[in-house]
Amino acid sequence: MEIAIIKYNAGNVASVMYALDRIGQNYQLTDDHEQIKKADKVIFPGVGEASTAMAYLKKKGLDTLIKGLKQPVLATCIGMQLLCKHSEEGNVDCIGVFDVEVKKFISKDLKIPHVGWNSIVKRGENPLMNGLKEEEFVYFVHSFYAPVNKFTTAVCEYEQPFSAMLQKDNFYAAQFHAEISGKAGEQILKNFLAL
Amino acid sequence: MKGTNFVDLRDAGDPVELGALYAQQGADELVFLDITATVDDRKTLVNLVREVARHVNIPFTVGGGISSIADVSALLNAGADKVSINSSAVRRPELVDELALAFGSQCIIVAIDTRFEPAAGLDFVHTHGGRRITELKTLEWAREVENRGAGELLLTSMDADGTKAGFACDLTARISSAASIPIIASGGAGTMEHFTEVFTAGKADAGLAASIFHFKEIEILALKNYLATQGIPMRI
């Protein structure tokens, strides 16, 4: 199985690569269009700022490439937000797989960013949570969130409920960092690779 | 339900082995401080960080001797998820702004070593393992580094550190109430009850301990089970 990790300017991906190493999976870190298109699975990770990341993806033509992918795609953290329609972070139009508006957390009582372990609850069909409990702890770091919507497959709560996971067709997305979310995160990665 | 607790690898034996063991035992994060004390040069350090990162499946923070964008870049590329800076921020506060801009606040922890100064009746930031006082008032410094872009604060009370008599809950609560970023409390953990106190009275977002885990006085899983019975949200 060929796995492509999309290489772009949003943060480092060492943790993602090591997580795949730990479950014995080969991968290529690449921004080459042909290589990404022919991969069996595509991972779109990232830590960064939405408008800066989008500008880079557009420059490289990766935004339209990603939107047109037919194989299973897993987007995490900023990757998930970039698959939405628009983000309040830098007020930028994003890739638009999910017709969802990414918003900034605003809270008088809770600390922002939302950092740390928080529990997610499965909502409807969610093959990535196969073998997991209905409620599992995973690791989050983010200041922006996708509200709960018709694509939501797992919900987390921080001030208000928000989308921990989204799915539409071949696109799977997680707001949390599966790669450093312990056993639960490993299971989610394995489930994605088994799709 | 949100909750977290930390382990650090200060004074540890083999960091790779211990890191993997703590992760397996249920630690929520690993913080590897004073790492420069264990290795001779930056290259060895980066290799060590890479080995730890390869073996742990939880967030991993590295601190010690970090004073530039290049230092942070090398550590993140090796697989660290966050870095912790301390005296280099005291020496040159602009470093916090620069690192937050370059890498995002989410991976920049500012560690503050603090001690109560009886003459002034205030807490002051200290450097050199708590031996040297600075002119920075702890509460003001916490606010300043938050404004400069720190993503979390690692607050170590040098008065409590090593006493095993409990965390500095009053101080931690004051800083936590004044800050809008998460506070990791460190120094003074001796019993399981101390962790309950720091998460309730101390308003800490996370608790860090080293020696009690290293010397197996408290086991991580037992501690987390206990805290869960006390109504503290825990990942178990």
Side-chain angles (χ1 to χ4, degrees):
Chain A
M1 179 164 60
E2 282 188 37
I3 296 169
I5 302 175
I6 295 180
K7 185 176 164 184
Y8 67 123
N9 65 334
N12 81 91
V13 290
S15 298
V16 176
M17 298 195 288
Y18 297 158
L20 292 176
D21 288 340
R22 282 193 296 273
I23 56 179
Q25 194 63 62
N26 292 324
Y27 49 81
Q28 278 184 312
L29 179 64
T30 178
D31 58 3
D32 181 88
H33 286 212
E34 289 315 308
Q35 222 160 28
I36 294 170
K37 269 194 260 183
K38 74 178 171 69
D40 301 301
K41 301 271 158 58
V42 174
I43 298 179
F44 182 36
V47 179
E49 195 274 334
S51 63
T52 317
M54 270 315 294
Y56 183 91
L57 292 171
K58 278 190 171 154
K59 196 175 81 185
K60 294 270 178 181
L62 288 167
D63 56 334
T64 40
L65 175 89
I66 291 167
K67 197 173 184 179
L69 291 173
K70 298 287 178 247
Q71 66 273 57
V73 176
L74 176 63
T76 61
C77 197
I78 191 82
M80 169 177 136
Q81 298 184 359
L82 295 174
L83 285 190
C84 294
K85 191 176 157 201
H86 180 269
S87 175
E88 284 185 1
E89 188 178 26
N91 186 28
V92 67
D93 285 330
C94 298
I95 294 170
V97 167
F98 302 109
D99 187 12
V100 174
E101 175 81 18
V102 174
K103 295 177 173 303
K104 188 170 182 20
F105 275 125
I106 293 168
S107 173
K108 281 205 305 271
D109 309 316
L110 293 175
K111 295 181 175 184
I112 312 295
H114 172 217
V115 180
W117 295 84
N118 202 339
S119 59
I120 61 171
V121 179
K122 193 164 96 166
R123 192 174 191 253
E125 280 294 300
N126 181 348
L128 296 197
M129 285 186 74
N130 282 349
L132 295 179
K133 290 176 288 195
E134 280 297 304
E135 186 168 3
E136 282 282 354
F137 274 92
V138 291
Y139 189 78
F140 289 88
V141 184
H142 60 131
S143 301
F144 293 79
Y145 70 97
V148 174
N149 62 76
K150 65 177 175 178
F151 305 112
T152 303
T153 51
V155 179
C156 181
E157 220 165 296
Y158 196 65
E159 181 86 20
Q160 74 271 336
F162 69 89
S163 294
M165 297 175 88
L166 298 173
Q167 191 206 332
K168 183 189 175 192
D169 306 325
N170 56 318
F171 290 94
Y172 298 80
Q175 177 60 64
F176 52 88
H177 290 270
E179 69 277 11
I180 46 174
S181 288
K183 287 273 166 226
E186 267 170 25
Q187 188 61 47
I188 288 167
L189 289 176
K190 283 182 187 165
N191 287 341
F192 170 71
L193 298 175
L195 285 172
Chain B
M1 298 291 259
K2 188 162 182 304
T4 192
N5 85 299
F6 278 30
V7 168
D8 103 37
L9 296 181
R10 179 167 39 196
D11 307 326
D14 177 357
V16 179
E17 204 173 293
L18 266 174
L21 180 68
Y22 286 143
Q24 198 191 340
Q25 288 178 342
D28 293 310
E29 302 204 23
L30 293 172
V31 180
F32 197 158
L33 296 176
D34 297 336
I35 193 166
T36 45
T38 64
V39 293
D40 301 332
D41 58 80
R42 302 302 292 185
K43 203 173 155 195
T44 316
L45 161 68
V46 167
N47 287 336
L48 186 57
V49 167
R50 183 175 293 116
E51 277 314 298
V52 174
R54 279 197 170 131
H55 287 85
V56 304
N57 57 9
I58 54 173
F60 172 41
T61 299
V62 179
I66 296 165
S67 58
S68 71
I69 286 187
D71 289 342
V72 175
S73 191
L75 293 169
L76 296 182
N77 283 331
D81 297 296
K82 313 180 207 178
V83 294
S84 168
I85 58 169
N86 190 336
S87 52
S88 57
V90 171
R91 274 198 304 275
R92 203 171 68 78
E94 298 77 23
L95 180 66
V96 181
D97 306 65
E98 292 164 15
L99 295 180
L101 190 67
F103 304 102
S105 293
Q106 81 289 337
C107 67
I108 308 302
I109 296 178
V110 174
I112 301 176
D113 292 342
T114 175
R115 193 187 280 282
F116 184 69
E117 188 57 33
L122 282 171
D123 296 278
F124 282 86
V125 176
H126 283 62
T127 58
H128 297 79
R131 292 191 303 277
R132 196 175 296 177
I133 190 168
T134 70
E135 54 191 29
L136 298 167
K137 296 185 184 96
T138 303
L139 189 66
E140 289 176 12
W141 178 237
R143 285 205 185 107
E144 177 175 347
V145 296
E146 176 183 341
N147 289 336
R148 288 181 179 276
E152 293 175 72
L153 296 178
L154 167 51
L155 184 72
T156 303
S157 162
M158 304 311 293
D159 298 304
D161 200 33
T163 64
K164 294 193 180 178
F167 291 94
C169 289
D170 288 350
L171 173 68
T172 306
R174 263 185 284 128
I175 306 283
S176 186
S177 302
S180 57
I181 52 176
I183 309 294
I184 306 156
S186 161
T191 67
M192 294 194 185
E193 290 78 9
H194 291 155
F195 284 89
T196 312
E197 288 163 16
V198 82
F199 290 132
T200 52
K203 298 183 177 168
D205 298 281
L208 182 148
S211 56
I212 55 164
F213 297 135
H214 297 328
F215 301 115
K216 300 188 172 64
E217 290 163 34
I218 293 180
E219 283 200 300
I220 295 170
L221 186 59
L223 172 62
K224 293 179 82 174
N225 283 329
Y226 167 79
L227 289 171
T229 67
Q230 301 302 301
I232 314 281
M234 281 287 134
R235 174 184 74 112
I236 292 173

